[in-house]
């Protein structure tokens, strides 16, 4: 077999993934912390103030990466949910369900920071424009997935049901992303472009991209931590989990 | 430095935004740590129960 | 030995469910009363100022109808689950999506249809301008089946749970927000003298799509949540 | 605890090293058995030993953790099920608001009907003459169970999966179930029934499969 | 041998019910989400015009909070009934009205209190003028316990029935319309710059009366509907 | 079918020509019996013969149509009930979300506690050592029933009214109930229990009251 495929196959085995994720966790957290600190320093201290918005534009360095992550996490969740439903791969169920609370957190931060940004720039905390509304719907979708997952007792069935809901809700993603194009909204359109030239100056841009990188790394760190917990719960009858126990029992006296 | 924290009058908007970000992510990072501990503890309890069920 | 055909099964199911609604007609009237009460509360809450009421009439009626339907959705499969009929339905050899389609049809015609029938009365309570009423009725006629269909998918997902009523609300509402925006939007446009055909056409297109996909999705969801 | 019944013809139902687990907790261990036309098999076990769960797995309502269920030699899936299996669970699947006859008419509309029998005849043969038009709500638990038994008589299914058929029934009712099983077996059907073993069986003992919690 | 005292019983009941809410905290959040969703639906239904929204904000929030509490009322005794705890409660030698008072207290503090806490957020969503917010909060703080108390009496009456949710709504709503009129009336008065103390005082007087009488009435109703 | 047990002391519980009817439909006929300290009485009857209804009437949850129930010689009303009666019905009155220990602590908070026993001890004596902290949801039906039996041990009630105490229990559990009843009778309590007679009792037969549908 192709070595990469073989590795993926191995990664799908719970004990291997548990150890693999455990080994990578500290590194991922460290990378996220360091790059995040660099990005924030660049954004808060180095980048020049915006000529229109003054210093309030510095909210961008939390708002925009979190907004991107809120969409990315949903996409990740739905993709894993699809795999879980079609091929019934246990790890995909776990990854899908682990990304839901992280995505919800990012969505929540997006909404709050957006409001905090909206007050000085638009003069209101909240309006019912399409981008804002669809982002709120996204938060409710995350809540729905999480709620459904916790409301069903059998863990695997719960994961499948919630994954199904995540797939149904994916129609909302293009609405969030293209709402600024399809409807005329208060919210500004795309300023960062990875294909054409960006409409933002480079010394403002690099901290943004650095923070975005940090949040992606953080996403995987948190994902791994949550997936490890879910794996333990799901596999609690297995020998490899029992093998983990004596150490903890000793720790508890 | 005080200038930096004042953010030219936008401090009331900028810093809460960063604070929310930090709090949300710290909460998100801490939750699995506690859940991990709880599960190992529950599991130890379950094993103890299973052992006591078998012994008498 | 005569194995049952799918059409015979659909007819048997439709007849039984309609008979059941008739036997429990006290319960069946509840969504209607709920919507009437919600609408009736608004004049109390806002004061009887005619202009304000007229301005919010269409939107409030829409919200009240959707909430009433939402609360009745919970019962769509519940009694079938509780007495084991749902298991028999899933085990039957006919296409489950077809059978669920029949159940959705019964749900719509016994909860939404009465609501649409009393909508003129509700409009009267809130002083809706007369020329908006036809648009409101058309919007309701398109949005309510959409809710029945989408709702059925969500109910199928939550059917195995105890006390799922509120979770169901959470699941359904974000999915029907577009129906609300377009339906109430058409009414508001009509009230302000603007064109209202486009949102209604959108609703119609969605309805056509949902009518085909929702029973299939509901069947898949039901299989997931029962096994 | 595996029982293997070897016969030439393809068995009506066959379980091959069937296991079931819920949240990684084993409910029943590897089971191997097969049912041929004319077989009646009793599954015995304490409360919580997994009898109901086994019947659900065999009917395709739950998915096995490993192993397979073969119906006429072909793997069982819910989608491919066709008029072959009738399940009678703890919940009877009857509507309390409808009369016995209305309930049975619905069942035949859904599942078809055997030749030479009508809902009225079926009700009479389970001892419910005169109760055709009473809403099920006014019938006693035992009488409701009998209506569900009448449904079994009507619907053309070769395999009966009966969960605790004796529960709620008095001694006359237990006799009735045994007569029905006998009749079904003699015309070439097969049945799997469960019991936690507290009831007195009046007819000859069928084949038994003991079920014990694996933990 | 130590026979239990009434105060020990109350403490045990309060502790158990709070523990149960905590264990089912997913369910406990549902009324909150319901109210948020209902409020969030209105801008969709009415369009985002700030003046219209601000005009109806207080009334809509009031209706949403009352509806959310209403829907949660159904569960007040339901799980106790289903698992036989209610029978044990009625059979306990302590005054039933005292025990029911404890249950009502838990209901209010776990459903209404969170709703009051998020009310400022809801007010923000509907652009309620800032000076009305304190009045809204005061009115909610007086009206929601009233609803818990009156609702408990109605729930106690309907507790033995299957599917009593909608019937309950019908029983409770007429009784709480006055609370709605006075509470929302106070907010509307404050918004228009009029005096708002009188309706709040009325609400307070009612609340005082209901706090004494409702537990007794609920105990009597429960005895009737269980026997 | 009246049974009268004449003794000198005032009986713990006495029923005098007790009848119950629902919507004018007689459920059970005139019953006369009395329970003295140390008595254990078994009420036997088919399904639907009115056993549960009788226990509810005796505990004051339902009102008799005619006749009277005396507790220590005084007429019984719900309001005057005081720590004397413990009822165990079809529904156990336990919370599935709480652990066995939390459930028992609540029961002692509500009803007081006998001297010389703790919730832990009570759990141990019904064979549930090691299950103190498991949520009741994860216990089997039989184990839940045992938790309810532990509650009986804790609460200082002289009269036990037990509806189908043997249901859901395996043979070990049936033994346990008989031992508990014996213990309770020896320390001066009394108990009224029901059964539809399908279970095997292992201890000596108590006094029986047959109950038959009056229709
Ligand atoms: C509650 C209010 C807000 C919400 C919910 C919100 C939501 C979002 C979302 C979801 C995105 C990502 C869109 C995508 O990548 O497809 C985004 C991007 C962005 N938002 Fe906001 N936003 C809010 C307020 C604001 C405000 C007030 C501003 C500034 C005036 C702002 C500026 C931006 C910018 C510059 C981007 C990056 C656009 C790009 O390059 O793709 N947002 N916002
Ligand atoms: N929905 C469920 N979720 C989790 N566990 C379950 C569920 N249903 C059953 N169980 C558990 O699975 C095991 C087997 O249950 P099952 O209902 O199959 O037992 P049974 O043999 O039919 O018992 P009974 O004689 O009481 O009918 C039990 O330990 C039970 O607690
Ligand atoms: N809530 C009710 N409303 C109307 N009739 C009832 C009600 N509860 C019981 N009955 C009827 O009263 C009669 C006696 O019921 P009861 O529950 O006392 O019987 P039981 O002897 O306890 O039976 P089982 O052995 O099934 O527990 C039955 O005919 C039953 O149908
Ligand atoms: Mg069973
Ligand atoms: Mg009974």
């Amino acid at each position: 077999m192709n070595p990469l495929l073989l590795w993926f196959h191995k990664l799908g085995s719970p004990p291997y993934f548990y150890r693999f994720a455990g080994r990578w966790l500290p590194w991922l957290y460290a990378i996220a912390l360091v790059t995040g600190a660099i990005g924030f320093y660049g954004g808060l201290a180095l980048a020049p103030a915006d000529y229109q918005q003054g210093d309030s534009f510095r909210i961008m360095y939390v708002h925009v990466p979190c907004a991107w992550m809120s969409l990315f996490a949903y996409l990740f969740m739905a993709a894993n949910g699809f795999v879980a439903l079609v091929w019934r791969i246990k790890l995909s169920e776990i990854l899908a369900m682990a990304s839901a609370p992280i995505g919800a957190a990012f969505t929540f931060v997006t909404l709050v920071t957006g409001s905090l940004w909206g007050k000085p720039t638009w003069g209101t905390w909240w309006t019912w424009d399409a981008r804002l509304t669809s982002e709120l719907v996204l938060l409710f979708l995350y809540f729905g997935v999480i709620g459904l997952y916790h409301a069903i007792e059998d863990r695997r069935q719960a994961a499948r049901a919630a994954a199904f809901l995540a797939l149904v809700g994916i129609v909302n993603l293009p609405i969030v992303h293209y709402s600024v194009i399809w409807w005329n909204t208060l919210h500004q359109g795309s300023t960062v472009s990875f294909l054409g030239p960006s409409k933002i100056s480079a010394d403002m841009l690099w901290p943004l991209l650095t923070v975005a990188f940090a949040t992606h790394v953080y996403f995987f760190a948190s994902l791994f931590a949550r997936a490890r917990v879910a794996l333990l719960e799901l596999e609690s009858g297995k020998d490899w989990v029992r093998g983990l126990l004596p150490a903890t029992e000793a720790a508890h006296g | 430095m005080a200038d930096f924290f004042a953010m030219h009058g936008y401090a009331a908007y900028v810093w809460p935004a960063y604070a929310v970000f930090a709090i949300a992510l710290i909460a998100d990072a801490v939750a699995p740590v506690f859940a991990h501990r709880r599960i190992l503890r529950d599991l130890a309890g379950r094993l103890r129960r299973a052992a006591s069920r078998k012994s008498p | 030995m005569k194995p049952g055909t799918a059409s015979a099964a659909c007819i048997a199911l439709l007849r039984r469910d309609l008979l059941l609604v008739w036997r429990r007609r006290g319960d069946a009237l509840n969504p209607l009363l709920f919507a009437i009460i919600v609408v009736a509360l608004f004049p109390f809450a806002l004061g009887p100022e005619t202009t304000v009421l007229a301005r919010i009439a269409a939107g409030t009626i829409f919200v009240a109808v959707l909430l009433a339907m939402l609360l009745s959705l919970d019962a769509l499969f519940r009694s079938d689950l509780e007495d084991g009929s749902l298991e028999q339905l899933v085990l039957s050899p006919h296409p489950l999506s077809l059978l669920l389609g029949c159940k959705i049809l019964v749900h719509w015609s016994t909860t939404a249809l009465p609501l649409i029938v009393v909508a003129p009365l509700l409009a009267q309570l809130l002083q809706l301008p007369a020329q908006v009423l036809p648009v409101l009725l058309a919007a309701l006629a398109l949005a309510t089946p959409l809710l029945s269909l989408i709702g059925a998918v969500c109910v199928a997902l939550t059917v195995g749970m105890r006390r799922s009523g509120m979770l169901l609300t959470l699941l359904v509402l974000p999915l029907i927000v577009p129906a609300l925006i377009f339906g109430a939007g058409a009414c508001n446009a009509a009230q302000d003298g603007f064109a209202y055909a486009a949102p209604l056409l959108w609703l119609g297109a969605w309805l056509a799509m949902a009518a085909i996909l929702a029973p299939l999705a509901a069947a898949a969801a039901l299989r997931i949540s029962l096994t | 605890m595996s029982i293997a019944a070897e016969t030439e013809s393809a068995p009506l139902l066959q379980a091959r090293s069937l296991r079931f687990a819920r949240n990684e907790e084993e409910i029943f261990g590897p089971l191997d058995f097969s049912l041929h036309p004319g077989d009646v098999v009793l599954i015995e076990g304490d409360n919580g030993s997994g009898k109901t769960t086994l019947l659900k797995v065999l009917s395709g309502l739950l998915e096995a953790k490993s192993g397979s269920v073969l119906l006429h030699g072909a793997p069982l899936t819910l989608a491919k099920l066709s008029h072959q299996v009738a399940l009678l669970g703890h919940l009877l699947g009857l509507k309390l608001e409808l009369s016995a006859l209305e309930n049975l008419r619905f069942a035949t509309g859904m599942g078809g009907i055997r030749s030479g029998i009508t809902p009225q005849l079926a009700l009479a043969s389970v001892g419910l003459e005169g109760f055709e038009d009473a809403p099920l709500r006014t019938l006693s638990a035992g009488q409701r169970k009998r209506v569900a038994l009448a449904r079994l008589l009507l619907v053309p299914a070769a395999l009966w999966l009966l969960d605790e058929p004796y529960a709620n029934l008095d001694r006359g009712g237990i006799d009735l179930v045994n007569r029905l099983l006998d009749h079904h077996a003699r015309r070439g059907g097969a049945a799997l029934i469960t019991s936690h073993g507290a009831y007195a069986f009046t007819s000859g003992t069928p084949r038994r499969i003991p079920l014990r919690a694996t933990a």
Side-chain angles (χ1 to χ4, degrees), chain A, chain B, chain C, chain D:
Chain A
M1 219 195 287
N2 178 333
L4 190 67
L5 255 177
L6 200 65
W7 181 72
F8 261 114
H9 198 72
K10 231 165 74 184
L11 202 58
S13 114
Y16 182 81
F17 180 86
Y18 184 85
R19 263 176 283 124
F20 169 84
R23 218 162 335 111
W24 275 91
L25 256 187
W27 293 105
L28 290 177
Y29 277 125
I31 294 172
L33 209 61
V34 170
T35 52
I38 294 173
F40 281 151
Y41 180 71
L44 285 170
L46 300 184
D50 190 78
Y51 66 98
Q52 267 184 336
Q53 301 187 4
D55 275 335
S56 74
F57 95 98
R58 295 186 198 279
I59 294 175
M60 177 174 77
Y61 298 109
V62 284
H63 173 74
V64 176
C66 287
W68 287 344
M69 287 314 298
S70 69
L71 301 179
F72 174 80
Y74 198 97
L75 214 57
F76 186 85
M77 173 172 77
N80 275 289
F82 183 78
V83 173
L85 281 177
V86 176
W87 290 289
R88 312 224 152 174
I89 294 176
K90 199 187 269 182
L91 190 64
S92 297
E93 288 169 12
I94 286 175
L95 289 181
M97 289 308 111
S99 45
I102 315 172
F106 278 119
T107 311
F108 174 76
V109 176
T110 308
L111 285 163
V112 173
T113 56
S115 290
L116 285 166
W117 199 356
K119 186 68 183 169
T121 42
W122 306 334
T124 175
W125 300 103
W126 186 259
T127 68
W128 291 100
D129 100 356
R131 161 71 53 92
L132 275 56
T133 305
S134 53
E135 183 76 359
L136 188 63
V137 168
L138 186 68
L139 184 68
F140 282 142
L141 277 173
Y142 276 123
F143 283 166
V145 169
I146 295 169
L148 192 57
Y149 180 59
H150 287 291
I152 300 177
E153 226 145 88
D154 185 275
R155 294 336 291 149
R156 300 205 59 186
Q157 182 196 341
R160 282 210 296 278
F164 187 86
L165 178 70
L167 277 181
V168 171
I170 205 165
V171 288
N172 189 46
L173 276 203
I175 299 181
V176 175
H177 186 65
Y178 293 110
S179 50
V180 286
I181 303 171
W182 292 345
W183 292 279
N184 53 343
T185 58
L186 209 52
H187 194 281
Q188 66 196 84
S190 229
T191 43
V192 181
S193 160
F194 293 97
L195 296 178
S198 292
K199 294 179 245 167
I200 180 174
S201 76
D203 40 5
M204 281 184 183
L205 185 58
W206 76 260
L208 181 62
L209 295 183
T210 314
V211 177
F213 174 78
T215 48
H216 277 82
V217 175
Y218 173 82
F219 172 80
F220 283 101
S222 186
L223 184 75
F224 282 4
R226 285 172 183 278
R228 271 162 58 92
V229 172
L231 267 180
L232 274 190
E233 204 170 11
L234 205 60
E235 300 260 293
S236 53
K238 295 279 171 66
D239 285 340
W240 71 267
V241 176
R242 289 173 192 215
L244 297 170
L245 275 181
T248 49
E249 253 177 346
H252 280 269
Chain B
M1 202 60 192
D3 223 31
F4 172 73
F5 285 111
M7 281 282 155
H8 294 105
Y10 288 114
Y13 304 107
V14 175
W15 296 120
Y18 281 80
V20 165
F21 175 84
I23 291 168
L25 290 206
I26 288 170
D28 177 73
V30 167
V33 176
F34 282 109
H36 198 252
R37 279 198 205 144
R38 180 177 51 76
I39 281 175
L40 287 181
R41 202 175 51 228
D42 284 358
L43 198 59
R46 187 141 38 108
L47 290 184
R48 240 181 297 126
R49 272 202 295 282
S52 85
R53 211 176 326 174
K54 273 181 199 130
S55 58
Chain C
M1 195 98 109
K2 206 185 84 206
T5 63
S7 65
C10 284
I11 290 172
L13 188 60
L14 285 174
R15 179 184 302 145
R16 187 198 65 164
D17 277 7
L18 287 173
L19 198 59
L20 279 174
V21 170
W22 177 245
R23 294 272 158 86
R24 299 171 186 156
R25 52 193 174 276
D27 280 358
L29 280 179
N30 280 329
L32 198 60
L33 288 168
F34 180 81
I36 295 176
I37 289 178
V38 170
V39 169
L41 280 183
F42 266 82
F44 295 120
L46 304 182
E49 235 173 276
T50 309
T51 51
V52 176
L53 288 183
R55 171 66 185 80
I56 65 158
T60 306
I61 292 171
F62 232 95
V63 171
V65 167
L66 291 190
L67 284 179
M69 282 194 71
L70 207 65
L71 295 176
S72 77
L73 266 183
D74 192 34
L76 186 54
F77 300 135
R78 176 146 318 266
S79 81
D80 278 353
L81 178 76
E82 278 170 0
D83 64 15
S85 298
L86 198 58
E87 230 164 53
Q88 299 287 347
L89 216 63
V90 172
L91 282 181
S92 101
H94 310 295
L96 186 58
S97 54
L98 195 67
L99 299 178
L100 294 186
C102 292
K103 286 195 82 70
I104 296 172
L105 182 63
V106 172
H107 176 258
W108 181 79
S109 56
T110 55
T111 59
L113 211 51
L115 284 169
I116 296 177
V117 170
V118 298
L121 173 72
L122 300 180
Q124 201 45 251
L125 279 180
L126 292 182
Q127 325 264 8
L128 186 80
Q131 85 274 13
V132 187
L133 189 58
V135 183
L136 176 66
L137 292 181
L140 283 177
L142 291 170
T144 51
L146 204 53
L147 179 59
S148 280
L149 288 163
I150 295 177
V153 180
C154 297
V155 182
L157 272 177
T158 60
V159 80
M161 302 171 202
R162 292 151 54 77
R163 272 181 283 274
S164 62
M166 292 277 185
L167 178 65
L168 182 66
T169 312
L170 184 66
L171 294 187
V172 176
L173 271 176
L175 297 175
I176 56 146
V177 163
L180 179 64
I181 293 178
F182 282 71
C187 299
N188 293 337
Q191 200 160 351
D192 298 341
F194 297 138
Y196 52 79
L200 289 184
L201 286 178
W202 269 110
L203 275 183
W206 266 340
L207 179 55
M209 214 171 70
I212 295 164
L213 293 183
L216 294 171
L222 197 59
R223 288 230 175 78
I224 289 175
S225 61
L226 276 188
T227 61
Chain D
M1 74 201 67
S2 76
I3 289 181
E6 282 88 4
T7 332
E8 267 99 28
S9 71
L12 198 53
L13 181 81
Q14 190 172 18
R16 286 204 191 138
S17 58
L18 197 65
R19 284 159 166 275
F20 183 81
R22 208 182 256 114
N23 291 333
E24 294 304 316
E25 187 189 343
E26 293 269 339
I27 303 294
F28 53 76
L31 281 178
D32 284 275
F33 62 87
S34 49
L35 245 79
H36 292 266
D39 279 358
V40 174
V41 170
L42 174 72
I43 298 170
E44 252 186 342
D46 287 339
N47 289 128
S49 57
K51 304 179 295 296
T52 301
T53 312
L54 173 62
L55 288 194
K56 286 193 173 175
V57 171
L58 290 179
S59 67
L61 279 174
L62 287 179
E63 215 176 323
K65 190 194 165 200
S66 66
S68 57
V69 182
L70 306 179
L71 202 65
H72 286 303
L76 173 92
T77 56
L78 254 190
K80 272 196 264 165
L81 214 72
S82 60
H83 297 294
Q84 296 182 59
V85 181
L87 176 72
L88 174 60
H90 284 297
L91 298 171
L92 304 177
L94 299 170
K95 290 288 170 191
L96 298 185
E97 284 85 0
L98 303 184
S99 71
L101 212 53
E102 284 164 340
N103 268 300
L104 291 183
R105 289 230 181 86
F106 169 68
T108 59
M110 290 293 292
I113 189 164
R114 278 182 194 277
S115 49
I117 192 165
T118 64
Q120 281 89 344
L121 278 177
L123 277 180
S125 61
V126 296
L128 285 182
E129 260 165 338
F131 288 92
E132 286 86 357
D133 294 321
L136 235 62
R137 188 176 289 292
T138 66
L139 298 190
S140 81
Q143 288 166 328
R144 290 177 200 171
K145 191 102 183 190
R146 282 166 198 251
V147 175
L149 292 175
R151 187 178 57 199
L152 283 180
L153 281 179
L154 283 170
V155 171
L159 177 62
W160 287 1
L161 302 175
L162 312 186
D163 198 7
E164 307 259 6
Y166 301 108
N168 292 325
L169 289 178
D170 49 28
R171 280 160 203 278
I174 292 179
D175 270 354
L176 173 68
V177 172
N178 287 331
R179 276 204 314 277
L180 290 184
L181 285 172
D182 224 49
H183 176 65
H184 186 58
R186 266 188 284 111
R187 71 184 173 196
L192 206 69
I193 63 180
T194 69
S195 171
H196 53 63
Y199 296 96
F201 302 106
T202 45
S203 84
T205 35
R207 217 170 87 213
R208 281 157 199 256
I209 300 179
L211 207 63
R212 225 158 279 137
T214 43

